[in-house]
Amino acid sequence: MSDDGYRAGAVDLLGILAYGALTAFERLAEDAQIAPTLTDKVQLATVAARQIGHFTSVSDQLAGMDVEVMAAMEPFHAPFDAFHGYTKPKDWYEGLVKAYVGDGFAADFYREVAAFVDADTRNLVHEVLAAEDLHAFIVAQVRQGTQNDPKLAGRLSLWGRRLVGEALSQAQRVAADRDALTSLLTGTVDRPGMDLAAISRMFSRLVANHTKRMAELGLQS
Amino acid sequence: MSDDGYRAGAVDLLGILAYGALTAFERLAEDAQIAPTLTDKVQLATVAARQIGHFTSVSDQLAGMDVEVMAAMEPFHAPFDAFHGYTKPKDWYEGLVKAYVGDGFAADFYREVAAFVDADTRNLVHEVLAAEDLHAFIVAQVRQGTQNDPKLAGRLSLWGRRLVGEALSQAQRVAADRDALTSLLTGTVDRPGMDLAAISRMFSRLVANHTKRMAELGLQS
């Protein structure tokens, strides 16, 4: 950690992960409240609880770098709170699609950034992002829901488009505000990174993965 | 587990614990939403997440007894939901006092019942009830709050009385409806239990502990 710029970028990545886990906890706990059955509630509550485990892991990693998790998260309150403020699910299905599409998009982005950090931090990022066992549950629920109510598919397709639009606009805001994080991607003289063409390919990958996820849900993107 | 009556009582105790943990998760997650600071939010979210760990432990124990956790919890939906329905906290402090006083009362009651079950189940009950590290946090918050606003102490004292009143009335409902659970306490010909005098002493202990908890919060009971 001799490179201050590198260190600041890694702290930013961990700060995003920590705040992301905390807001995911809140959102999943809210979704659990409106779960149609107690079994569904337990599913969501279990995944919500796991977010706090992730938060604690990231917080410990930051502590090892002498950084307070509260301070590391602070720059990311505004973009996350704006994203969640603009994308409040109106029902159970919108909540599920948001968990699938929004978290999937964010996870892809974190993995892209993690390619440029040290092995320790990268392993932590992958560990935090590995727990995706809600996916089969969400796919089954959404497919069932749209089968029973054909109009729902159209509404959820629009919803998916809005989610990815908001996610992209908040990601751009973060990129514009946080030089340290951006320079993790672009690199420095001493540290290789992505050129503009590579960054544009990265965004293509993010959008392609989003399209794939919508298709898994049986929705148009 | 040769004694069917005993087994049914133990399943009831575990069913109560499981549903209690699940509703505690929901309530703490709701309290976390209105936490005045992000640090407070993390505190509550962490304890909420731990409830799901408890739920999973109890659920595993029931599975080992060939009992589905959903079935074991079913008889206790009504009393828990009624308790929570009648005691909705109106603000942050009422939520904290409810977590302290309500969970404390419930924990005492579970421990009393656990004295009459097998060592395995008893250890699980004690393990689930051991994590009380929110207590110092709640005591500090409530004492600070009532210091800043003397009227708050009066309101919270009344609130504590209402909580224990509702808890007692729901506990009586459970006792009346669930013979297996009650007979854990009272015993059978082959299995020693409490006589009426001992049960009345148990209720005295529950009320005495409640009074002690209110005093710790700096509130009258």
Side-chain angles (χ1 to χ4, degrees):
Chain A
M1 294 272 173
S2 53
D3 179 342
D4 280 354
Y6 163 75
R7 182 188 149 93
V11 167
D12 268 3
L13 176 60
L14 293 170
I16 291 182
L17 268 176
Y19 200 66
L22 209 52
T23 52
F25 165 84
E26 290 202 272
R27 204 200 49 224
L28 289 162
E30 270 181 61
D31 292 344
Q33 280 178 352
I34 54 164
T37 72
L38 195 60
T39 311
D40 297 333
K41 191 184 286 262
V42 168
Q43 279 268 8
L44 263 70
T46 305
V47 180
R50 205 171 296 144
Q51 302 300 320
I52 298 299
H54 298 335
F55 172 84
T56 308
S57 304
V58 174
S59 173
D60 289 350
Q61 170 91 356
L62 282 164
M65 300 164 76
D66 281 322
V67 177
E68 228 283 302
V69 64
M70 294 294 160
M73 295 192 297
E74 211 283 320
F76 307 106
H77 293 185
F80 271 98
D81 295 352
F83 176 74
H84 290 304
Y86 289 133
T87 60
K88 286 212 174 300
K90 276 190 300 295
D91 63 13
W92 171 242
Y93 291 106
E94 289 194 1
L96 291 182
V97 171
K98 183 172 168 180
Y100 194 66
V101 161
D103 294 359
F105 187 88
D108 281 347
F109 179 68
Y110 302 155
R111 279 197 199 94
E112 294 279 357
V113 180
F116 299 94
V117 296
D118 60 292
D120 235 36
T121 307
R122 182 164 53 248
N123 289 342
L124 179 66
V125 172
H126 284 278
E127 181 199 307
V128 164
L129 301 178
E132 299 192 340
D133 53 357
L134 205 55
H135 287 188
F137 171 78
I138 294 180
V139 169
Q141 286 267 332
V142 171
R143 285 187 172 266
Q144 180 83 55
T146 49
Q147 209 161 41
N148 295 344
D149 171 10
K151 267 195 207 153
L152 183 62
R155 176 155 68 84
L156 292 180
S157 292
L158 281 175
W159 174 242
R161 232 167 302 175
R162 219 177 100 201
L163 287 168
V164 80
E166 282 300 335
L168 278 168
S169 96
Q170 295 305 329
Q172 265 159 347
R173 178 175 171 178
V174 169
D177 286 355
R178 305 300 297 175
D179 291 344
L181 194 72
T182 316
S183 85
L184 264 186
L185 288 175
T186 56
T188 60
V189 179
D190 308 319
R191 187 164 31 79
M194 291 198 262
D195 56 18
L196 266 176
I199 288 184
S200 133
R201 283 196 300 276
M202 178 191 87
F203 273 99
S204 304
R205 281 194 296 276
L206 293 179
V207 171
N209 285 348
H210 170 69
T211 305
K212 221 171 68 187
R213 267 188 290 271
M214 291 295 281
E216 279 161 8
L217 293 172
L219 301 175
Q220 292 199 301
S221 57
Chain B
M1 293 271 171
S2 53
D3 178 343
D4 280 353
Y6 163 74
R7 182 188 147 93
V11 168
D12 268 2
L13 176 60
L14 293 170
I16 291 183
L17 268 176
Y19 199 66
L22 209 53
T23 53
F25 165 84
E26 290 203 272
R27 204 200 49 224
L28 288 162
E30 270 181 60
D31 291 345
Q33 282 178 352
I34 54 163
T37 72
L38 194 60
T39 311
D40 296 333
K41 190 184 287 259
V42 169
Q43 280 268 5
L44 263 70
T46 306
V47 180
R50 205 171 296 143
Q51 302 300 319
I52 298 299
H54 298 336
F55 172 84
T56 308
S57 304
V58 174
S59 172
D60 290 348
Q61 170 89 358
L62 282 164
M65 299 164 76
D66 281 321
V67 178
E68 228 282 301
V69 64
M70 293 294 161
M73 294 192 297
E74 210 283 319
F76 308 105
H77 293 185
F80 270 98
D81 295 352
F83 175 73
H84 290 304
Y86 289 134
T87 59
K88 287 213 175 299
K90 275 191 302 292
D91 64 12
W92 171 242
Y93 290 106
E94 289 194 1
L96 292 182
V97 170
K98 183 171 170 180
Y100 194 67
V101 161
D103 294 358
F105 187 89
D108 280 347
F109 179 68
Y110 303 154
R111 279 198 199 94
E112 295 279 355
V113 181
F116 298 95
V117 295
D118 61 293
D120 235 36
T121 307
R122 183 164 53 249
N123 289 342
L124 179 66
V125 172
H126 282 278
E127 181 199 307
V128 164
L129 301 178
E132 299 192 341
D133 54 357
L134 205 55
H135 287 189
F137 171 78
I138 295 180
V139 169
Q141 286 266 333
V142 171
R143 285 187 171 266
Q144 180 84 57
T146 50
Q147 208 162 40
N148 296 344
D149 172 9
K151 268 194 206 154
L152 182 63
R155 175 155 68 85
L156 293 179
S157 292
L158 281 175
W159 175 241
R161 233 166 302 176
R162 220 176 99 201
L163 287 169
V164 79
E166 281 300 334
L168 279 167
S169 95
Q170 296 305 328
Q172 265 159 348
R173 179 174 171 179
V174 169
D177 287 354
R178 306 299 295 177
D179 290 343
L181 193 72
T182 316
S183 86
L184 265 187
L185 288 175
T186 55
T188 60
V189 178
D190 308 318
R191 188 163 32 77
M194 291 197 263
D195 58 17
L196 266 177
I199 288 184
S200 134
R201 282 196 300 277
M202 179 192 86
F203 273 100
S204 303
R205 281 195 296 277
L206 292 178
V207 171
N209 284 348
H210 170 69
T211 306
K212 221 170 69 189
R213 268 189 290 270
M214 290 295 280
E216 280 161 8
L217 294 172
L219 301 174
Q220 290 200 302
S221 57

